[in-house]
Amino acid sequence: MPRPITATISVDALTHNLEVVRKHVHQAAASAAKTQGRPLAPPSIWAVIKANAYGHGIEQAVRGFWQAQGLALLDLNEAVRCREAGWGGPIMLLEGFFEPADLEVLDRYHLTTAVHHPDQLAILAGNRGSRRLDIFMKLNTGMNRLGFAPDAYRAAYQQALRLRDDGVLNSVGKMTHFANADGPQGVADQMEVFDRITDGLPGPVSVSNSAATLRYPDISLARDDHAAWVRPGCCLYGISPFHDANAASFGLRPAMTLASRLISVQEVKAGAAVGYGSAFIADAPMRVGVVACGYADGYPRHAGTGTPVTVAGVRTRLLGRVSMDMLAVDLTPIPAAGVGAPVVLWGEGGPTVDEVAQAAETIGYELVCALAPRVPVQGRDI
Ligand SMILES: *Cc1c(COP(=O)(O)O)cnc(C)c1O
């Protein structure tokens, strides 16, 4: 028997979460249209599937997000895997391309690309591929990660439009990325820069990640007849981008369930210690379960005593330090649980990945992305 740890990906949950987002932006469009007394198109959705679909697997994501208008990622190999999985729609490269030779891949697999740096524009100008590429010009509105500076953007955009007119490019759009859509600062400052700098420039628009899509859907409604795209990532996997609102409050379902089993049980006396560093000391006799899951599986080592975990359907707590291959849990609330009892580390039937992340002082994104390659991943349709 293989070691009993598995990550199960629910393709149905991915599809469900995409539908939640679709309804959310459609409702925003419908109510804005009512207020403004004119029809307003809802944005199209690029389902963000970078980092192996946040650890969920590219192939599962392609199936789960089949109804999305596009897929967005940043690894060229993953883009090729989407095409091999049968995806014929748009694929957006969020970091653009990395060297001139990449253009051949963009050309062959019909990939849309972000252009965030003058060097990329210069490379595109020399493109002799068979296909006219679709690009989104990225504006740095204040995050200072990727994008043209505001005072350089309009000239660069005009240059891209000339490449379009010269037959090198097909379409040119505008994009930016928010630093604080999940927090109190919000998106207003960056949107002010975006609106001012892109004013009057033609082309489709894309600004919103999960947090902005969920909290500020109105900013992604099509304006001036230009198509709009949102770029939700984490929420499509049932992970909340917010500290102050969980995924279930939006009707989102966890798509990844990390499960294992008890491989040992210890009867521990009062005063005895559990695990490395003796970080947990029992204050009374108790039963301790040992789970086949550790930090080498991607479980966060910083999760300490008290981190929620479910054993045989009952919520309990982690004890002491997480080891490389094992962790200990309190079996006090589950006296009948013995070796072989099912354990859910996060996901369906267990704590949310966001709860575990919070206990480890990180975010749910990091945990699902860090699922270790040694954990077998199974897709299932329900
Ligand atoms: C990762 C990413 C997203 C999605 O972010 P979430 O917070 O997971 O929704 C959107 N846009 C860009 C440019 C990204 O890099």
Side-chain angles (χ1 to χ4, degrees):
M1 176 180 161
R3 191 162 163 265
I5 190 165
T6 53
T8 305
I9 307 305
S10 166
V11 172
D12 189 56
L14 298 176
T15 303
H16 166 86
N17 294 337
L18 177 69
E19 183 59 15
V20 167
V21 172
R22 196 193 64 82
K23 281 204 180 117
H24 187 75
V25 294
H26 275 248
Q27 267 160 18
S31 61
K34 215 171 186 178
T35 318
Q36 298 181 23
R38 65 191 177 103
L40 271 174
S44 298
I45 299 175
W46 269 318
V48 178
I49 62 164
K50 61 190 177 186
N52 194 31
Y54 292 53
H56 293 63
I58 291 290
E59 286 73 20
Q60 266 85 247
V62 169
R63 282 165 54 215
F65 303 141
W66 198 255
Q67 298 298 328
Q69 284 78 28
L71 301 176
L73 41 65
L74 35 80
D75 184 289
L76 272 72
N77 290 327
E78 289 185 348
V80 172
R81 275 166 65 195
C82 293
R83 290 289 183 238
E84 286 169 352
W87 176 260
I91 298 177
M92 169 70 171
L93 295 172
L94 294 167
E95 286 183 352
F97 52 91
F98 306 97
E99 58 174 4
D102 294 340
L103 288 182
E104 198 192 317
V105 183
L106 272 62
D107 187 55
R108 176 148 23 115
Y109 293 96
H110 196 181
L111 308 180
T112 302
T113 184
V115 172
H116 59 78
H117 193 273
D119 290 356
Q120 289 179 324
L121 207 50
I123 293 169
L124 277 174
N127 185 26
R128 296 289 169 264
S130 61
R131 200 190 293 276
R132 298 171 56 159
L133 296 172
D134 298 307
I135 71 166
F136 276 75
M137 294 285 287
K138 189 155 190 183
L139 172 62
N140 172 11
T141 52
M143 188 173 185
N144 292 310
R145 202 174 60 173
L146 295 183
F148 289 86
D151 60 3
Y153 189 78
R154 291 184 72 90
Y157 206 88
Q158 297 299 346
Q159 196 185 338
L161 290 175
R162 280 195 298 277
L163 290 176
R164 184 194 64 182
D165 296 342
D166 292 346
V168 176
L169 298 176
N170 181 46
S171 71
V172 180
K174 299 155 272 185
M175 73 185 286
T176 193
H177 192 58
F178 296 126
N180 299 298
D182 56 323
Q185 203 172 320
V187 300
D189 292 353
Q190 286 188 258
M191 270 316 279
E192 187 279 319
V193 175
F194 186 80
D195 285 337
R196 179 161 44 83
I197 300 295
T198 64
D199 185 41
L201 297 177
V205 176
S206 178
V207 295
S208 290
N209 56 3
S210 295
T213 302
L214 292 172
R215 256 193 197 156
Y216 312 103
D218 285 357
I219 63 175
S220 292
L221 300 180
R223 280 174 281 180
D224 310 328
D225 294 333
H226 296 154
W229 292 80
V230 290
R231 310 187 302 267
C234 71
C235 65
L236 298 180
Y237 306 94
I239 295 167
S240 174
F242 306 111
H243 279 296
D244 56 356
N246 63 26
S249 69
F250 297 97
L252 300 164
R253 280 171 45 194
M256 178 191 288
T257 300
L258 181 63
S260 186
R261 292 186 182 274
L262 295 186
I263 57 169
S264 181
V265 174
Q266 299 289 345
E267 308 276 346
V268 170
K269 294 189 176 73
V274 176
Y276 284 119
S278 300
F280 175 79
I281 314 261
D283 56 11
M286 66 186 295
R287 291 174 78 242
V288 172
V290 178
V291 183
C293 177
Y295 61 78
D297 298 299
Y299 194 90
R301 187 175 169 279
H302 293 291
T305 296
T307 303
V309 53
T310 298
V311 178
V314 178
R315 195 168 157 113
T316 181
R317 60 179 180 145
L318 188 143
L319 300 175
R321 279 194 203 156
V322 174
S323 308
M324 182 183 284
D325 311 302
M326 285 170 265
L327 54 80
V329 295
D330 183 354
L331 295 182
T332 309
I334 322 112
V339 169
V343 177
V344 178
L345 286 316
W346 63 66
E348 235 172 89
T352 66
V353 71
D354 293 318
E355 286 179 287
V356 178
Q358 210 159 11
E361 291 182 7
T362 182
I363 53 176
Y365 300 65
E366 187 182 15
L367 301 194
V368 289
C369 290
L371 184 75
R374 80 174 188 186
V375 177
V377 176
Q378 305 173 344
R380 79 179 148 81
D381 287 333
I382 306 297

